[in-house]
Amino acid sequence: MLTFSRRILRALAAALLFFAASLASAEPLRIAVAANFTDTTRDLIALFEETTGHSVAASYGSTGKLYAQIENGAPFDVFQAADSARPEMLETSGGAVAGSRFTYARGKLALWTPAANVFSNPESWLASADFKRLAIANPKTAPYGLAAQQVLEGMRLWDALQPRLVRGDSISQTFQFVATSNAQAGFVALSQAKAWQNGHGTLWLVPQQMYAPIDQQAVLLNHGKDKPAARQWLKFLRSPPALNIIKDYGYDIAD
């Protein structure tokens, strides 16, 4: 009788372990992604889910705010920032897996408006201040906002344009300010302008020597270090099919 009971208990324990493992494998991969990479990530997720069977849940926001959430214990498995500084900080502090950090894309800054023929000489247009509002992302939390600040400082317009600047919490909000005509133009990610479905408007691809390189880095967070799907996602980001999608959205690829 005792032996039979032990067999039942062992069978129940095995069943529970199997159930727990099934639940773990069914949990979606959770990734925190810089807002500029939203459209690109949606296409990447579709391909990844189709080819691997894993499910992915993405949260988008400014790099600074996502970093703060991670520091406060948000259960993300992978962090895809719009800079290299914050993934490096997480790696250094022990919040991410050492050696997992790499550049998955190099961003490009653009001055954009959905209206046609707004400026033929963008630098002269900016200097003329012939507009009510110019949108940028918050330089303190969004790397693309910092790049925009560097451009305006280099043109010696940063101080003069302060009354006309409207700051988005993220580059996504910044883009919306422009797309909805709450700002006449704005500094956005080139990828956002390329994904715009309602015409091309007026665009100036800002020369990259006018701002520090926007090296967007990904890192495996401690919460995801034991998840095969997390490592598989990071490997996928460096695969030719993923790189083709990233390049199609206007990003450069790391050497």
Side-chain angles (χ1 to χ4, degrees):
M1 183 69 175
L2 184 60
T3 302
F4 181 70
S5 298
R6 285 177 177 171
R7 287 177 180 172
I8 293 177
L9 289 173
R10 287 175 180 170
L12 286 172
L16 287 172
L17 286 172
F18 177 79
F19 180 68
S22 298
L23 284 178
S25 63
E27 288 181 1
L29 169 66
R30 297 195 62 192
I31 60 176
V33 183
N36 70 281
F37 214 64
T38 299
D39 293 303
T40 314
T41 299
R42 287 172 179 159
D43 282 359
L44 290 170
I45 287 175
L47 179 59
F48 181 76
E49 290 183 336
E50 179 184 349
T51 56
T52 68
H54 294 299
S55 61
V56 182
S59 295
Y60 305 100
S62 70
T63 291
K65 289 193 173 182
L66 291 173
Y67 172 79
Q69 291 175 22
I70 293 166
E71 284 282 271
N72 288 315
F76 295 118
D77 303 312
V78 169
F79 181 32
Q80 288 176 234
D83 66 6
S84 59
R86 291 175 179 89
E88 184 177 6
M89 288 163 63
L90 285 168
E91 197 176 40
T92 301
S93 68
V97 177
S100 65
R101 180 168 54 91
F102 67 95
T103 299
Y104 64 91
R106 287 201 173 108
K108 298 178 184 177
L109 185 70
L111 178 67
W112 175 79
T113 174
N117 304 316
V118 172
F119 44 78
S120 57
N121 187 323
E123 296 185 64
S124 296
W125 183 80
L126 287 168
S128 72
D130 189 23
F131 48 85
K132 291 183 178 179
R133 295 185 182 88
L134 178 70
I136 69 167
N138 185 346
K140 294 181 179 179
T141 58
Y144 282 83
L146 179 59
Q149 179 179 341
Q150 291 167 351
V151 171
L152 293 176
E153 286 177 338
M155 297 172 66
R156 298 184 180 180
L157 295 174
W158 178 248
D159 292 333
L161 291 179
Q162 286 303 307
R164 299 175 188 271
L165 294 182
V166 55
R167 293 169 173 80
D169 287 338
S170 68
I171 198 66
S172 287
Q173 187 179 53
T174 305
F175 185 83
Q176 286 302 314
F177 285 157
V178 185
T180 56
S181 299
N182 285 300
Q184 281 65 54
F187 284 99
V188 301
L190 174 63
S191 59
Q192 295 172 303
K194 286 177 70 70
W196 177 247
Q197 300 298 317
N198 298 330
H200 297 293
T202 309
L203 183 141
W204 176 44
L205 181 59
V206 181
Q208 290 183 277
Q209 64 267 24
M210 296 182 73
Y211 56 93
I214 305 176
D215 283 346
Q216 303 196 191
Q217 292 200 338
V219 69
L220 177 64
L221 300 173
N222 285 342
H223 189 270
K225 65 181 180 180
D226 295 323
K227 286 189 176 182
R231 295 182 183 274
Q232 196 168 352
W233 171 261
L234 292 174
K235 183 178 180 181
F236 166 73
L237 286 178
R238 288 173 280 189
S239 69
L243 293 176
N244 286 336
I245 291 173
I246 293 169
K247 287 188 287 187
D248 283 346
Y249 272 94
Y251 294 94
D252 281 341
I253 303 301
D255 298 330

